[in-house]
Amino acid sequence: AFLSFFVEHRRRTCTCVPTTMALAQMMGMVAAAGALGYTPLPPRFSWDTLPVFYHSSNQSGPYNEDAIKNISRFPMVTIEKFQGPCGHSKNASPACHQEELIVAELRKVKAVNPNISTVFYYNSVLDFVQYDVHARMDADPSLKLHDAHGQVVMTHCPSPLGQCDVFDLGNPATRALFIAVCVNATQTGVVDGCFVDRAVDKQGFMSSLDEGTAQRYMAGRQLMLKELQQAVGVGPIVANHAFGPPHDNISAGTGVNFAMIEGFAPNAENLGYLQTTVANGRGVQAHSVAGASESAVAAFLIGAGYHSYFGMGGWDDGQPHWSPVFEFPLGAPYGPATNANGVWTRRFLHVNVTFDQSSGTGTVQGWTFPSGPTPPPPPPPPSPPPKPTPTCPVVAAECVWEHGDLAMSETETWEDCCAACNGNAQCTKWVHHTGAPSKNCHLHSTNATSGTGPASATCGQVTH
């Protein structure tokens, strides 16, 4: 039987990977480039202008013709998991056919420029319900990760349903199924590789697994990356946060050829991630949280190497994410950047770049960056900070926790959210977003890391 990821007319033109095929057989079929009828393309790279990439989706529906033309200016394009309205709806299910929706947009991009390297979004942890593969997972619960009590692991995921089961990558059958989804996408002839989200991130549910399952799962995550890259050959496997040693050891030795820095900011930490990825011989996508600002571009150019790309914008806003800066002449670097007391400098053919890692500011001499919008009026005085209580001893304003997700719910106050964390044995950290339309209370495990949040966010910690 074949995975029913593509409509009937697509099946007639696509040689897809059977779900019942053993992993070793599948790997043998795809070992040679183009063994299944299409050779995935690596992304084009040039220093002529700022090397850039696109990663987003259009939640409202298909991209229109003008949008596709704009997106096709990028040499590397990824379409996200929430392409179209179905995956965001409360009725999200495999009937959304998310795989087909992603491939359909990448098909349009390839029609404009077949040399663009196109990337299919896929999450290596969360079994999103809007994907066809979720039906296959539901049909065989052994493919799902189970905790020490034999229960299916459910973890927070960014969807209206709030919870997703988890791919048990320690199970060879699950791993083969996961790889087959990406390989099948490439065999449409319009997809070159896959974006693998949560490729190396620590997961809060790990503490719920028995020791043997945890070891198999972690080994399976690493093996999946290696086998997936082998399966698509030179096509891009963009493993999120997989910067390589010493940052992470999961991706070491896997051969994955790309990583993403999600939330790239002009600071020493993110510059270090970029330099580590380049030093490990990987391509990198630096997804800027500061847009195409001069400081963000400067930090990127200081650390960029061959197959380093700069990008920006929301994950599902359907916007082109293009900037006039992307057309300015750059030219190849004369060499690597040099560092003098935390101030980095680097010369390119057409520009000179400096970046001060202590202040997070940089300049690109030779380019004139567009003026920003008129600054908004000053905000009103801040509200008094929240006061700790006996059951919520640690509480702060304008902060968030990232990673280690456990659950989401709706609560009226931060005190209610803290109480929800006290009632969850795995929860030690919580965030309450005042005024959020839904799911405004987020619970996290000890693996969560701190971040700066909006004024509407209150967070804290509890002990059990």
Side-chain angles (χ1 to χ4, degrees):
F2 284 76
L3 287 172
S4 56
F5 293 157
F6 308 110
V7 293
E8 186 61 30
H9 80 272
R10 191 171 296 152
R11 283 188 184 154
R12 291 197 295 267
T13 60
C14 166
T15 304
C16 296
V17 179
T19 57
T20 55
M21 183 177 294
L23 180 60
Q25 292 174 308
M26 185 192 75
M27 296 303 294
M29 286 186 66
V30 299
L36 295 181
Y38 175 71
T39 302
L41 295 175
R44 293 170 294 129
F45 184 83
S46 172
W47 292 110
D48 290 347
T49 55
L50 187 69
V52 292
F53 75 98
Y54 180 88
H55 183 130
S56 190
S57 60
N58 186 13
Q59 182 183 342
S60 64
Y63 286 90
N64 61 35
E65 184 177 351
D66 287 341
I68 290 294
K69 287 181 179 178
N70 280 323
I71 293 170
S72 300
R73 302 167 78 179
F74 294 85
M76 194 175 194
V77 173
T78 301
I79 299 297
E80 260 275 351
K81 59 185 171 292
F82 288 130
Q83 173 58 37
C86 189
H88 261 295
S89 73
K90 293 183 178 180
N91 297 320
S93 74
C96 294
H97 303 304
Q98 195 64 59
E99 294 92 334
E100 293 180 16
L101 297 177
I102 293 173
V103 170
E105 300 309 309
L106 294 177
R107 185 181 301 278
K108 296 177 187 176
V109 171
K110 281 283 193 181
V112 174
N113 186 345
N115 294 319
I116 293 172
S117 185
T118 50
V119 182
F120 174 97
Y121 175 95
Y122 203 19
N123 195 298
S124 66
V125 174
L126 306 176
D127 174 26
F128 281 106
V129 297
Q130 68 265 32
Y131 281 75
D132 289 80
V133 73
H134 178 71
R136 179 72 178 86
M137 296 284 287
D138 268 355
D140 184 358
S142 70
L143 300 170
K144 301 178 180 182
L145 188 65
H146 289 69
D147 64 21
H149 302 289
Q151 300 298 310
V152 172
V153 173
M154 300 297 294
T155 190
H156 162 67
C157 65
S159 78
L161 303 181
Q163 296 280 306
C164 288
D165 59 71
V166 177
F167 293 104
D168 183 5
L169 296 176
N171 179 344
T174 308
R175 201 161 58 247
L177 176 65
F178 184 91
I179 293 171
V181 173
C182 177
V183 172
N184 280 339
T186 66
Q187 295 316 300
T188 63
V190 296
V191 177
D192 295 299
C194 289
F195 182 91
V196 183
D197 210 351
R198 303 202 182 194
V200 299
D201 296 342
K202 295 180 180 179
Q203 303 299 321
F205 57 73
M206 291 299 297
S207 60
S208 71
L209 309 181
D210 63 61
E211 184 177 356
T213 299
Q215 290 177 350
R216 286 191 297 274
Y217 176 72
M218 294 303 294
R221 291 177 73 183
Q222 187 175 44
L223 192 56
M224 176 274 294
L225 290 173
K226 181 177 181 178
E227 292 170 342
L228 183 56
Q229 185 67 72
Q230 291 174 346
V232 300
V234 296
I237 295 300
V238 186
N240 202 9
H241 299 151
F243 316 138
H247 175 266
D248 76 271
N249 292 318
I250 292 179
S251 64
T254 62
V256 291
N257 56 10
F258 267 89
M260 175 185 270
I261 306 173
E262 183 180 351
F264 180 79
N267 57 41
E269 179 182 34
N270 281 269
L271 175 57
Y273 292 157
L274 176 57
Q275 292 169 325
T276 295
T277 310
V278 171
N280 280 310
R282 292 178 187 165
V284 59
Q285 296 179 335
H287 189 270
S288 172
V289 295
S293 68
E294 187 167 11
S295 291
V297 172
F300 170 78
L301 288 175
I302 288 295
Y306 182 67
H307 275 161
S308 296
Y309 299 83
F310 182 90
M312 61 182 186
W315 305 116
D316 56 9
D317 58 15
Q319 298 302 307
H321 302 172
W322 188 264
S323 167
V325 174
F326 298 169
E327 302 177 63
F328 295 168
L330 176 62
Y334 286 102
T338 58
N339 181 9
N341 299 319
V343 178
W344 293 86
T345 58
R346 193 179 191 187
R347 291 183 60 213
F348 291 78
L349 180 61
H350 297 295
V351 299
N352 293 324
V353 182
T354 63
F355 180 70
D356 186 336
Q357 65 182 33
S358 62
S359 65
T361 57
T363 61
V364 183
Q365 296 176 344
W367 290 358
T368 301
F369 281 73
S371 300
T374 302
S383 302
K387 295 182 180 180
T389 68
T391 56
C392 303
V394 179
V395 60
E398 300 184 19
C399 63
V400 294
W401 297 109
E402 300 172 346
H403 311 301
D405 304 295
L406 293 175
M408 297 172 62
S409 62
E410 296 183 30
T411 59
E412 291 188 9
T413 66
W414 67 260
E415 291 91 344
D416 294 335
C417 187
C418 177
C421 187
N422 275 313
N424 186 320
Q426 291 183 298
C427 180
T428 60
K429 301 173 182 180
W430 55 269
V431 183
H432 181 265
H433 294 273
T434 303
S438 64
K439 306 291 185 182
N440 58 355
C441 175
H442 299 187
L443 306 185
H444 300 264
S445 69
T446 55
N447 293 327
T449 56
S450 63
T452 301
S456 61
T458 303
C459 74
Q461 300 183 61
V462 302
T463 55
H464 294 284

